[in-house]
Amino acid sequence: MASADLRDELLCSICLSTYTDPVMLRCGHNFCRVCIDRALDTQDESGVYSCPECRKRFLERPALMRNINLHNVAERFLITQQEQEEITGICCTYCVDSPVPAVRPCLHCEASLCDKHLRSHSKSPEHVLSDPSTSLEKRKCSVHKKILEYYCTEDAACICASCSLIGEHNGHKMESLDEASEKKKKKLRNVLQKLTTKREDTEERVRSVEERWRKAQEKASGEAERVTALCTDIRRRVDDLEKKVLSEISRQEKEESLSLSARIHQLEIKKDELSRKMRHIEELCNMTDPLTVLQEPDTGDLCDPEEDGGDEDTGGHDKQPHDGDDLDVAVISHTLHTLCDVITGIRSGIYVEDPADILLDVNTADNNLLISDDLKTATWTREKQKRPETAERFQYNQVMSRRGFTSGRHYWDVESSRSGWWRVGMCYPSIDRRGGQSLIGDNDKSWGLRRRYNNQYSVIHDSNVIRLADKISSDRFKICLDYEAGQLSFYELCDPIRHLHTFTATFSEPLHAALYVWEGSIKILGRRRNWKKPS
């Protein structure tokens, strides 16, 4: 109704159509520019001008003032009407001058009505009004050209009265369109409810994945900061050590230079004295007068300079560089050993190796497993071992470690044989020891990495299997536990080390290392524990 009222307000009283470029006279009435220009042109001959609406007269041809506001309203109205017409594609049957979108069709009259004609339409019950979603032609039977009134449940088709009486649907079960529509709407509402539930579940999963993503980013950022701080500390310590060693070398070099310079000076003096004595002896040797040679006093010290008592300052024979006055290499080496201390300190800040920490518990080992004397290797055997049957012993080829972990970060490595099937991982001590559900990963109390035939690798928890698509060539693997963070990770020990999978959980019991072996063996190589940030 509001649309019809607005349309009436936007009609030009001359052309009876929506305003096009509306202008206003001084009396306040609006017209299309083209329409009022034509009307005023006809009044030019008489010289008397008047408003076509109120008949107010003007002594001269009135100026036309463009009505910007009315122009904008009319333009938006036309655009809205065009959009509605594009959506429904149905126009009023009675608006012949200009197309006006229909708001309701009458099935009895077989006509589409706009707001204006709907107000004057008959209100009797036989005049059924419907939504303008489809044209009237589409609401008629293609065979009998009558309005579709019923729904055949057997053929799932909308039919007219003739189809139900004399057509191919005669004798079929019928329903009114309203009744069939309500039943279908009920089904659609059920589907909508299920889809809504699924969408909510999907949204929750999206939020969960986004939260994991955020935590992964935070963890990566934290690890990057830790590594950056560690490397910065290493560089600072190495730089300090380099400066210290170079300073010590420079100090020793200066000290040695001063000492050697003084010794050179002393040796030069001694060399000059020896040269003087040599010249004097040569002169004596060249004399022809024997009396003069024999009368030369103090000749003993000239004949054997090697018997000289030596330099009083040096106190004997001159010392050579290799006699111990060169650089003190021991001091420099001792200083360089600090670098080893730095590296050792860094390694101890990251982990402390303790290969004896993971020891297999023979009391839990199945009797088809051989456990090595060092409690590090589990090997499958056909010959059953003679161990007592107890409640803690596994029925299948499994064994767990003696010790469990309730906190901290722990790392340990395993090496598998080339043949056989195996599983490695961690489990709670409350894991079942009997039945197929006791295998590592086949319950909610264990997490594992497994190898099956044809080198097929997968990770498993609570019987949910995730196959690892990437090819694995190494026989060595690393298992990493971060108890507080609730993460258990598996890595392939290749070059470089490769991450395979990480389980996330809230651990509620101690976690023990666990092995399953069939036709092969698993060896524990060691464990690294108590990862800490360097101070």
Side-chain angles (χ1 to χ4, degrees), residues 64-130:
L64 302 178
M65 296 176 289
R66 189 180 187 193
N67 194 330
I68 299 297
N69 293 333
L70 186 61
H71 175 271
N72 294 338
V73 173
E75 191 175 51
R76 285 197 296 270
F77 179 78
L78 287 174
I79 292 174
T80 303
Q81 294 297 311
Q82 290 174 0
E83 290 176 350
Q84 291 180 354
E85 184 177 346
E86 290 175 359
I87 294 174
T88 62
I90 303 172
C91 297
C92 178
T93 305
Y94 303 112
C95 292
V96 294
D97 295 332
S98 61
V100 178
V103 292
R104 300 292 291 275
C106 176
L107 302 182
H108 181 75
C109 300
E110 298 186 9
S112 299
L113 309 173
C114 65
D115 280 330
K116 181 178 179 180
H117 291 98
L118 184 63
R119 281 179 283 180
S120 58
H121 189 69
S122 174
K123 302 297 188 295
S124 59
E126 63 269 18
H127 290 270
V128 179
L129 301 176
S130 64

Side-chain angles (χ1 to χ4, degrees), residues 16 18 32 65 83 113 141 171 185 220 253 441 517:
L16 300 179
T18 305
C32 297
M65 296 176 289
E83 290 176 350
L113 309 173
C141 175
K185 287 180 181 179
E253 187 270 337
V517 188

Side-chain angles (χ1 to χ4, degrees), residues 265-311:
H265 179 68
Q266 293 172 359
L267 292 175
E268 288 290 341
I269 295 174
K270 186 174 182 179
K271 185 182 73 170
D272 292 341
E273 179 65 21
L274 292 174
S275 297
R276 185 188 62 80
K277 291 181 179 181
M278 288 172 61
R279 287 193 301 271
H280 182 63
I281 293 173
E282 287 177 356
E283 290 176 357
L284 291 177
C285 290
N286 291 329
M287 287 183 179
T288 58
D289 184 8
L291 184 61
T292 304
V293 175
L294 294 174
Q295 289 179 348
E296 179 68 28
D298 301 325
T299 58
D301 59 340
L302 298 177
C303 296
D304 191 6
E306 295 298 329
E307 295 180 0
D308 187 87
D311 196 327

Side-chain angles (χ1 to χ4, degrees), residues 443-472:
N443 48 74
D444 60 357
K445 296 185 178 183
S446 60
W447 299 258
L449 168 70
R450 72 177 185 180
R451 183 179 74 182
R452 304 183 72 187
Y453 54 87
N454 295 331
N455 278 342
Q456 292 184 0
Y457 288 84
S458 58
V459 290
I460 181 170
H461 168 66
D462 201 12
S463 297
N464 295 318
V465 178
I466 302 175
R467 185 170 179 178
L468 302 178
D470 294 337
K471 183 178 180 180
I472 295 177

